[in-house]
Amino acid sequence: MAIEIAGYGLQEPLPYIGISLWNIFLFIIVLIIGIIVVRIVTAAIKKWMLRAKMAKILAEFTTRVLRLILYIFVVGVALAFMGIEIGAALVSVSVVLGFVLGFALGDTLSNIAAGFMVAVTKPFKAGDFVTANGETGTIRNVGISVTEIDTIDNKRIIIPNKLVWGGNITNFTTHPTRRVDMEMGVGYEVDLDHVIKTTMSLLKSDKRVLSNPEPQVAVKEMADSAVILVIRPWVKTNDYWDFFFDFQKNIKQKYDKEGISIPFPQTDVHLFQNK
């Protein structure tokens, strides 16, 4: 017994369209089920990659690309239930995508390729503090075409992947330890041995300073207004900035207590009177 909808049976083609309501119904059902299956499958693949200890960035990038490909396949299969041959549908979709990607999305293709290289080579991972394309901050996400960075003052910066991959990348958190490079100027009249001993004592009194490698305090140069010392302790990467800021305050107070002068640039002007 045929079901009538608005005077037409499900098996009867709609006027001027040539597609039955049954075809439309199957198209919608296949599309919905396909999308659900694709999400389940890609989520399972992502979990498997993470359990296999693959980089999170690589897992996310791979599953996003795979999801896009599977969505195109699902659309092609769904179109087959509309009376369109799946081969023709896929060819049509491929032609359209090729035209669009080739002429309108050239930069996007470059960004996708660069994103794949970032995911494979792993110059950084989510949570690393880096400088990329001149921007410094914490990596939050590497997408198919863009990389997201949060700056220290909590701004979100979106950088195309091709700019990230095509430039220098500095990763500050790759290694567990870092050297803190500082310079300090002292007066020419002070005892340099006393200055070096005082500075080294201050470094060793801070538990954040590592004993291996040993900290270094040495004379760098004789500048115009001061003798410049280099101070190079090693600390854990997570302690870098806290130690840096604390040490600036502590060394000033320590030098004041020890009577070590920290000169500032000055100019002596001598006036002569012609008789």
Side-chain angles (χ1 to χ4, degrees), residues 227-240:
V227 178
I228 307 299
L229 302 178
V230 289
I231 305 171
R232 296 173 176 172
W234 287 81
V235 299
K236 292 181 179 179
T237 300
N238 292 336
D239 292 334
Y240 183 93

Side-chain angles (χ1 to χ4, degrees), residues 12 98 208 241 253 260:
E12 297 180 13
R208 293 169 294 190
W241 286 112
Q253 294 176 337
I260 300 173

Side-chain angles (χ1 to χ4, degrees), residues 1-12 21:
M1 179 178 179
I3 300 176
E4 297 289 336
I5 299 180
Y8 298 97
L10 286 177
Q11 301 300 328
E12 297 180 13
L21 289 176

